[in-house]
């Protein structure tokens, strides 16, 4: 039996999971259109590689991974590309981003895809395939998985599979573990192989006994060695990577340190499943399990094609009246979607239809009374009240000194705050301000560098020009001196003079010999004709200018 | 008496030598304050302060010749930071200096005649082109200084404000009202 540990703080919000966890996953109906954003992952946006009007097959790449940290995007079904342009995406900003709109043709026709046994592929090949299959972390961070599967210089001892799913309402991982445990574990085996990890530990919160039992059974059935599924206490946010690692291994991942440096790597169970499908069946990331719950008739988990508009998905669960909006994610960390027309993305684990009956308007916000209840529940062991003061006063340097960036934005502090202060909003605001400032600083540094280099270059060009000019002058001077010297010697050296004369004579001789003129070698008749013409010409000239010879040295006559 | 004199003079010599050595060894070139001020300035090199670039302005501030409120691209925040660094009161912008939204230059390629005048004006070499060849702005390097606009003989350069995108979007400062409870109002 594994010795479990505790992490600091945590809260116990009502879980609200049973509404959706008791029915099996069903495939969502084919939507009328798919709005597929090209930026569904951390890193560079995928580069579109299709054109409007093109017919694409299911699984065909429509956005290619661009740069080192990026991931591919695929057509979720076969159909025609209607538009490639900016439209609303599932992002808290409510702004537009580049999306590909696909009209399904209903045939669901697959592109040729080749599965392979991962044991026969090289590790580099597997990572490339994962990247091209668009496999990213499905726990919510959507970080490209291939980048996390480097053994690197750190020896990985433990691979943690995260099946804790601590947020209220969400049950997609629960259902996935109950129904597809074997494939999750095969994915975990592949990940273990890539990381050269010794053991695999699956952490599942103890409010999901069926999932735990299914996973334990699958471990036995699959004869997986050094692998165990462990029940962890149900505490929010026990599903945070750092928190789960702490509970399962006792290792505390320090600020600014990656868990791999401590010998642990963590993946969501759904990521392991998708990675396995991508390699073994050659199926890229085209769909994911999404919990649809809240103000609907039949809360349910759906296998949803990426890009399915939220409105069409929720309609299948029977939307109840009074719905005011949709939360993507859980009630603790999720955000309100800007529109019901945005497409489901790789990060969409749950859609909650909100209604005043489910989520009553929060009580009015009051000033902070410094009760420090937030500090008691903070899983990152921060001082949320201090961070709140600093963010409020825009003292970002101090906020950073108090480890603002260790905040995982779990919302436990706002949950317990008796004054209902939107604490996480303050932290998010401070973080994005600091990031913006850092961007400005980098831009300024680059500009400074470029400006200094330009000045250096101008100075250098000036110098080079001056140097060239000086060199030319020197050369001219030298040439003149040499010419003078040569002239001086030429006058005295008669021998040289004679040699020059001889050479010129030789050249003349050669010239005469090689270039016969048309007046040479004439027949006597021709010669006689020429003489006659010349005589006539002379006569005419004499007639025209009788005093030509006389006037030669005088001015022309004035008229 | 003699020992005391000896001790004191040896001490003086040793300390003097130490000070003299460190004065040579750790000599600081130029005014270190200039570097600190320059680090705060936004490096647009736009000359809106009246100095030919950020470093000359930093030098002028350090020498007390220029005021701290002459840099529009730095914004209010730049003034705050300069005031903090120099230990003076922050003040509003000077006459004629007001911050503008961030922008990058844009060359209308239909009208560009390839005269290279803007290339010579750009302080950060962010314009690509050659004589009789079309020019274009390297947007990622453009600081938005507007120095290329005046020299253009065909007025084909304009400033395009930088739009916010999903990647540069910032969370808003939380705004809410404190509503006094009914008990407090009754009292």
């Amino acid at each position: 039996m594994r010795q479990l540990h505790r992490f600091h703080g945590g809260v116990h919000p009502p879980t609200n999971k049973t509404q959706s966890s008791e029915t099996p996953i069903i495939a969502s109906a084919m939507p009328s259109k798919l709005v597929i954003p090209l930026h569904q992952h951390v890193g560079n946006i995928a580069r579109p590689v299709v054109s409007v009007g093109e017919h694409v097959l299911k699984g065909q790449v429509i956005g290619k991974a661009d740069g080192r940290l990026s991931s591919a995007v695929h057509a979720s079904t076969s159909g025609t590309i209607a538009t490639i342009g900016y439209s609303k995406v599932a992002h808290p900003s409510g702004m537009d981003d580049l999306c590909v709109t696909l009209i399904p043709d209903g045939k669901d026709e697959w592109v040729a895809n080749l599965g392979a046994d991962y044991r026969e592929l090289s590790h580099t090949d597997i990572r490339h395939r994962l990247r091209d299959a668009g496999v990213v972390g499905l726990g919510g961070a959507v970080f490209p998985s291939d980048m996390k599967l480097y053994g690197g210089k750190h020896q990985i001892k433990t691979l943690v599979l995260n099946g804790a799913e601590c947020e209220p309402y969400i049950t997609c991982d629960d259902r996935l573990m109950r129904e597809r445990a074997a494939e999750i574990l095969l994915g975990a085996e592949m990940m273990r192989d890539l990381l050269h990890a010794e053991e695999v530990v699956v952490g599942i919160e103890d409010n999901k006994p069926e999932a735990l039992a299914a996973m334990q059974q699958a471990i036995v059935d699959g004869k997986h060695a050094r692998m165990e599924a462990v029940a962890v206490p149900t505490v929010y946010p026990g599903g945070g990577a750092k928190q789960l690692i702490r509970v399962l291994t006792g290792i505390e991942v320090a600020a600014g340190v990656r868990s791999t440096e401590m010998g642990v790597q963590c993946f969501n169970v759904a990521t392991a499943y998708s990675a396995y499908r991508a390699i073994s069946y050659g199926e890229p990331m085209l769909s994911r399990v999404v919990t649809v719950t809240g103000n609907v008739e039949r809360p349910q988990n759906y296998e949803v094609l990426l890009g399915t508009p939220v409105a069409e998905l929720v309609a299948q669960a029977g939307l109840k009246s009074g719905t005011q909006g949709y939360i993507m994610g859980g009630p603790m960390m999720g955000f309100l979607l800007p529109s019901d027309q945005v497409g489901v993305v790789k990060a969409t684990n749950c859609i909650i239809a909100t209604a005043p009956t489910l989520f009553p308007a929060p009580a009015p916000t009051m000033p902070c009374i410094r009760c420090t209840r937030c500090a008691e529940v903070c899983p990152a062991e921060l001082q949320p009240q201090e961070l709140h003061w600093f963010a409020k006063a825009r003292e970002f340097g101090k906020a950073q000194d108090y480890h603002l960036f260790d905040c995982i934005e779990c919302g436990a502090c706002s949950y317990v705050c008796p004054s209902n202060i939107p604490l996480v909003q303050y932290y998010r605001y401070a973080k994005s301000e600091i990031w913006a400032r850092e961007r400005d600083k980098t831009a300024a540094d680059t500009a400074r560098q470029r400006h200094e280099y330009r000045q250096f270059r101008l100075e250098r060009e000036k110098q080079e020009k001056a140097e060239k000019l000086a060199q030319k002058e020197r050369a001219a001077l030298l040439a003149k001196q040499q010419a003078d010297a040569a002239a001086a010697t030429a006058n005295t050296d008669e021998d040289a003079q004679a040699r020059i004369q001889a050479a010129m004579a030789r050249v003349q001789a050669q010239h005469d010999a090689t270039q016969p003129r048309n007046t040479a070698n004439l027949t006597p008749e021709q010669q006689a004709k020429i003489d006659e013409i010349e005589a006539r010409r002379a006569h005419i000239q004499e007639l025209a200018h009788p005093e030509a010879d006389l006037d030669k040295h005088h001015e022309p006559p004035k008229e | 008496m003699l020992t005391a004199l000896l001790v004191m003079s040896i001490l003086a010599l040793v300390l003097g030598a130490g000070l003299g050595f460190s004065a040579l060894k750790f000599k600081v070139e130029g005014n270190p304050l200039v570097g600190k001020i320059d680090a705060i300035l936004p490096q647009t090199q736009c000359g809106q302060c009246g100095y030919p670039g950020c470093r000359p302005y930093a030098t002028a501030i350090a020498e007390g010749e220029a005021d701290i409120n002459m840099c529009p691209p730095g914004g209010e925040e730049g003034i705050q930071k300069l005031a903090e660094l120099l230990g003076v009161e922050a003040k509003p912008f000077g006459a004629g200096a007001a911050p503008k939204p961030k922008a990058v230059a844009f060359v209308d390629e239909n009208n560009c005649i390839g005269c290279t005048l803007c290339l010579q004006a750009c302080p950060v070499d962010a314009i690509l082109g050659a004589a009789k060849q079309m020019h274009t702005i390297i947007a990622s390097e453009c600081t938005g200084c507007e120095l290329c606009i005046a020299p253009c003989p065909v007025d084909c350069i304009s400033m395009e404000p930088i739009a916010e995108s999903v990647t540069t979007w910032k969370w808003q400062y939380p705004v809410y009202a404190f509503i006094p409870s009914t008990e407090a109002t009754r009292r």
Side-chain angles (χ1 to χ4, degrees):
Chain A
M1 194 63 201
R2 179 170 278 267
Q3 165 77 44
L4 293 182
H5 304 262
R6 281 186 58 84
F7 66 89
H8 182 265
V11 291
H12 295 275
T15 57
N16 282 309
K17 284 176 188 275
T18 45
Q19 294 98 314
S20 57
S21 67
E22 299 314 311
T23 43
I25 301 169
I26 57 172
S28 155
M30 181 66 71
S32 63
K33 64 168 182 179
L34 293 162
V35 185
I36 308 169
L38 288 168
H39 200 189
Q40 302 188 31
H41 48 266
V42 170
N44 300 330
I45 184 166
R47 197 157 26 88
V49 289
V50 286
S51 46
V52 174
E54 194 176 328
H55 185 264
V56 289
L57 296 175
K58 182 174 186 169
Q60 189 177 331
V61 176
I62 55 174
K64 227 179 149 86
D66 193 17
R68 199 167 126 80
L69 185 65
S70 185
S71 198
V73 178
H74 304 79
S76 313
T77 185
S78 60
T80 314
I81 306 288
T83 56
I84 301 172
Y86 283 81
S87 53
K88 285 228 183 310
V89 291
H91 190 268
S93 67
M95 293 175 83
D96 294 358
D97 205 0
L98 199 58
C99 298
V100 174
T101 308
L102 176 69
I103 305 295
D105 60 8
K107 292 180 196 150
D108 217 21
E109 198 180 333
W110 270 96
V111 73
N113 53 358
L114 291 172
D117 188 343
Y118 74 88
R119 278 160 293 218
E120 286 162 11
L121 299 173
S122 74
H123 284 184
T124 319
D125 199 12
I126 295 177
R127 281 190 280 264
H128 282 181
R129 280 175 185 236
L130 288 175
R131 179 179 147 95
D132 293 340
V135 176
V136 297
L138 296 178
V142 284
F143 192 86
S145 297
D146 55 297
M147 297 295 289
K148 279 174 76 181
L149 284 167
Y150 282 96
K153 53 184 186 289
H154 305 289
Q155 175 59 42
I156 303 288
K157 183 172 172 283
T158 313
L159 169 63
V160 171
L161 274 202
N162 190 341
E165 199 167 56
C166 59
E167 268 234 36
Y169 285 96
I170 309 177
T171 57
C172 57
D173 290 348
D174 182 6
R175 285 310 315 181
L176 194 77
M177 286 188 286
R178 289 197 211 184
E179 297 176 28
R180 304 173 193 176
E183 284 172 311
I184 294 172
L185 297 178
L186 288 169
E189 282 289 358
M190 184 178 79
M191 287 173 161
R192 162 151 72 179
D193 196 44
L194 281 165
L195 292 166
H196 306 289
E198 290 170 25
E199 55 168 3
V200 179
V201 187
V202 191
I204 302 166
E205 278 196 347
D206 55 15
N207 60 356
K208 292 182 266 295
E210 296 90 345
L212 182 68
M215 291 293 272
Q216 279 169 342
Q217 189 57 44
I219 291 173
V220 176
D221 292 348
K223 298 192 179 66
H224 295 290
R226 305 218 53 179
M227 193 182 269
E228 60 179 317
V230 182
V232 297
T234 302
V235 186
Y236 180 86
K242 280 188 178 184
Q243 284 66 38
L244 189 65
I245 288 170
R246 169 91 181 137
V247 168
L248 289 174
T249 66
I251 292 169
E252 190 158 331
V253 183
V257 176
R258 291 206 179 91
S259 68
T260 47
E261 290 172 43
M262 322 285 286
V264 187
Q265 184 62 291
C266 183
F267 282 98
N268 184 271
V269 284
T271 315
Y273 171 77
S274 298
Y276 175 73
R277 297 291 301 186
I279 299 299
S280 292
Y281 298 95
E283 274 177 25
M285 272 276 331
L286 303 182
S287 63
R288 67 154 299 150
V289 181
V290 179
T291 309
V292 180
T293 182
N295 195 35
V296 290
E297 301 280 357
R298 301 172 295 279
Q300 170 86 43
N301 281 288
Y302 290 93
E303 175 96 38
V304 186
L305 293 178
L306 297 177
T308 303
V310 166
E312 293 192 33
L313 172 62
V314 176
Q316 296 173 44
L319 192 61
K320 281 197 218 165
S321 61
T323 299
Q324 289 182 336
Y326 303 96
I327 295 175
M328 180 175 126
M332 301 292 280
M333 291 183 72
F335 59 90
L336 216 56
L337 286 174
S339 148
D340 63 358
Q341 289 305 312
V342 300
V344 165
V345 290
K346 292 175 186 174
T348 312
N349 47 8
C350 180
I351 301 282
I352 306 175
T354 65
T357 46
L358 278 174
F359 299 98
T365 301
M366 305 289 283
C368 172
I369 55 168
R370 306 180 196 209
C371 64
T372 67
R373 277 171 70 181
C374 47
E376 283 164 24
V377 300
C378 180
E381 293 179 63
L382 299 174
Q383 299 287 312
Q385 78 284 5
E386 300 282 350
L387 290 173
H388 161 233
W389 288 115
F390 294 139
K392 198 171 178 179
R394 298 183 169 89
E395 288 185 44
F396 302 122
K398 275 195 179 155
Q400 268 178 292
D401 290 345
Y402 276 70
H403 305 288
L404 173 66
F405 283 96
D406 282 348
C407 167
I408 57 169
E409 301 174 21
C410 66
C413 49
S414 341
Y415 181 75
V416 296
C417 182
S419 292
N420 296 305
I421 301 171
L423 290 161
V424 179
Q425 263 192 56
Y426 278 105
Y427 309 147
R428 284 175 173 162
Y429 157 73
K431 281 181 183 177
S432 61
E433 279 297 325
I434 292 167
W435 281 323
R437 252 154 244 222
E438 246 153 55
R439 271 200 301 273
D440 287 351
K441 184 102 187 65
T442 332
D445 286 344
T446 326
R448 182 186 295 117
Q449 236 174 34
R450 288 179 74 89
H451 181 60
E452 276 167 9
Y453 182 75
R454 177 190 150 88
Q455 280 180 320
F456 162 75
R457 177 171 65 77
L458 291 180
E459 193 57 37
R460 189 189 61 197
E461 273 169 12
K462 215 192 250 153
Q463 258 176 22
E464 277 173 359
K465 220 177 234 174
E467 224 160 78
K468 236 181 223 166
L469 205 69
Q471 217 165 32
K472 229 184 217 168
E473 271 170 14
R474 269 204 304 279
L477 203 69
L478 204 70
K480 197 163 172 261
Q481 275 171 357
Q482 270 173 354
D484 286 353
T489 48
N491 287 344
T492 52
D493 196 353
E494 285 184 11
D495 196 29
Q497 205 54 252
R499 270 212 301 278
I500 291 168
Q501 290 295 340
M504 277 166 75
R506 262 203 311 281
V507 168
Q508 188 60 44
Q510 216 168 18
H511 191 252
D512 291 347
T514 52
Q515 288 200 339
R517 300 170 68 166
N518 61 352
T519 49
N521 307 327
L522 295 173
T523 57
E525 297 91 69
Q526 282 173 325
Q527 188 59 53
K529 221 171 188 174
I530 289 171
D531 287 344
E532 196 194 314
I533 292 165
E534 284 296 325
R536 220 169 35 231
R537 193 180 278 163
H539 180 67
I540 291 166
Q541 230 151 36
E542 217 167 287
L543 286 176
H545 305 283
E547 316 101 331
D549 281 336
L550 292 174
D551 274 5
K552 215 171 192 174
H553 301 290
H554 298 279
E555 280 181 35
K558 281 177 186 134
E559 288 177 15
Chain B
M1 176 64 186
L2 198 68
T3 335
L5 270 176
L6 212 65
V7 165
M8 290 313 283
S9 43
I10 287 173
L11 207 65
L13 275 174
V14 167
L15 288 176
L19 281 173
F21 174 74
S22 49
L24 289 176
K25 175 90 183 171
F26 305 113
K27 195 171 191 301
V28 178
E29 289 290 336
N31 190 347
L33 190 59
V34 174
K36 281 186 196 164
I37 297 172
D38 194 38
I40 293 174
L41 297 177
Q43 304 301 321
T44 45
Q45 319 292 351
C46 58
Q48 289 179 59
C49 51
Y51 293 87
C54 292
R55 199 158 179 98
Y57 179 45
T59 316
I61 295 178
E63 281 164 8
E65 289 167 10
D67 223 337
I68 58 168
N69 61 348
M70 314 285 285
C71 177
E76 301 273 355
E77 206 181 310
I79 296 179
Q80 286 288 349
K81 277 191 190 162
L82 285 174
E84 223 165 85
L85 176 72
L86 301 169
V88 295
E89 282 285 311
K91 47 177 108 177
F93 275 107
K100 276 187 226 168
K102 268 193 195 170
V104 288
F106 173 76
V107 171
D108 180 359
E109 293 169 350
N110 293 324
N111 292 334
C112 175
I113 54 169
C115 67
T116 73
L117 287 177
C118 57
L119 262 72
Q120 292 157 35
C122 181
V124 290
D125 283 338
I127 309 180
L128 194 70
K132 304 256 173 95
Q133 307 285 323
M134 191 165 56
H135 304 342
T136 194
I137 309 278
I138 307 169
S140 60
E141 309 292 355
C142 176
T143 62
C145 67
E146 304 187 4
L147 289 181
C148 51
I149 291 183
C152 181
V154 290
D155 284 337
C156 73
I157 306 179
S158 55
M159 298 306 290
E160 300 269 320
I162 301 173
E164 201 177 35
S165 73
V166 169
T167 40
T168 57
W169 171 79
K170 292 192 283 187
W171 284 90
Q172 292 299 304
Y173 187 82
V175 180
Y176 48 84
F178 289 135
I179 301 163
S181 74
T182 40
E183 269 174 56
T185 41
R186 218 179 291 148
R187 189 145 38 90

